[in-house]
Amino acid sequence: MHDTWSGKVLGLLVGDTALVTGQYKEEDMGHEYDGITEYDNDLPPWWKYGFYFTIVFAIGYMAYYHVADAGQLQLAEYETEMRQASLMVSADADDPNKLTTYTALTAPADLSAGKALFVTNCAPCHGANAEGKVGPNLTDEYWLHGGEINKVYKTIKFGIPSKGMVAWKGKLAGKQMLQVASYIESLQGSKPANAKEPQGEKEAPAKTIAAR
């Protein structure tokens, strides 16, 4: 009775696990090595069922995602989630996706304050004269993250963690960050000694401003 499929199913209900574990034939193949004897036993049915399932799943996956284009692949799903997340971000001063509308400060007192802040906080990476060290040269026309004053302000405020640029939000006040950005803008074209090679995209001098 248990040799048929239905019989094995009924047997499983009463405790016979042959349908899942298979039957051991104990048929010696005559192969022995290092005390290990080979028997002619099939793979366990549960293993074969699992393998068959992966084949069916792969065919269904291919048909659903690549043939019918009914579902989103990983990249498309990620982009959709990012668009949805952007709708939930508040459009206030702490929103990194929203640029400010500041203009550069030009008063001597602001530029002097900006210089003092730069020397204390920025010079270790950008050099005393913004010539560039670990960080990029801030006196040329090339910018990695935009040289317009508000883009520079954004970079100073939120940083670029992936490149080692720390965020100064919470460490410097808003006006102090603008003073630093304005000071760097005043250094455009100053051509300091030992200036680092240009990095990033070239921008018109009118747009070049500060820290990247």
Side-chain angles (χ1 to χ4, degrees):
M1 175 181 175
H2 288 183
D3 291 335
T4 64
W5 175 263
S6 59
K8 291 179 180 179
V9 171
L10 291 174
L12 184 63
L13 296 177
V14 296
D16 185 352
T17 60
L19 180 64
V20 177
T21 61
Q23 293 179 332
Y24 295 97
K25 302 176 184 177
E26 298 298 333
E27 182 179 337
D28 191 342
M29 297 289 292
H31 302 153
E32 183 177 347
Y33 180 78
D34 197 21
I36 301 174
T37 301
E38 179 183 1
Y39 290 94
D40 184 21
N41 290 318
D42 292 333
L43 287 169
W46 64 264
W47 192 97
K48 291 190 287 187
Y49 300 151
F51 179 67
Y52 298 151
F53 173 78
T54 62
I55 295 175
V56 173
F57 179 84
I59 294 173
Y61 183 94
M62 180 69 70
Y64 184 78
Y65 286 100
H66 295 278
V67 178
D69 287 328
Q72 289 186 327
L73 294 176
Q74 186 176 18
L75 179 58
E77 188 176 54
Y78 170 79
E79 292 173 344
T80 298
E81 290 177 353
M82 289 299 99
R83 285 194 296 270
Q84 293 173 343
S86 67
L87 298 177
M88 301 173 64
V89 177
S90 60
D92 56 21
D94 289 328
D95 180 2
N97 296 311
K98 180 183 179 183
L99 285 176
T100 53
T101 56
Y102 296 133
T103 55
L105 303 174
T106 56
D110 287 318
L111 294 179
S112 178
K115 178 179 180 179
L117 290 166
F118 181 90
V119 170
T120 301
N121 301 297
C122 310
C125 288
H126 293 284
N129 299 305
E131 70 275 16
K133 295 173 70 175
V134 176
N137 176 2
L138 303 177
T139 66
D140 57 27
E141 300 176 315
Y142 292 81
W143 301 91
L144 292 171
H145 305 287
E148 193 274 327
I149 185 68
N150 291 287
K151 291 182 179 178
V152 172
Y153 179 88
K154 171 185 173 181
T155 302
I156 295 173
K157 183 174 183 177
F158 298 105
I160 309 294
S162 63
K163 296 184 179 179
M165 171 67 186
V166 301
W168 291 97
K169 173 187 173 183
K171 302 173 185 177
L172 297 178
K175 184 173 182 179
Q176 289 178 312
M177 291 186 284
L178 184 58
Q179 287 171 332
V180 174
S182 299
Y183 169 69
I184 298 173
E185 180 183 11
S186 73
L187 297 177
Q188 295 306 292
S190 58
K191 299 180 180 179
N194 302 315
K196 193 173 181 180
E197 290 297 316
Q199 295 174 269
E201 300 294 327
K202 184 175 182 179
E203 294 187 14
K207 294 182 179 180
T208 3
I209 293 195
R212 285 163 273 183

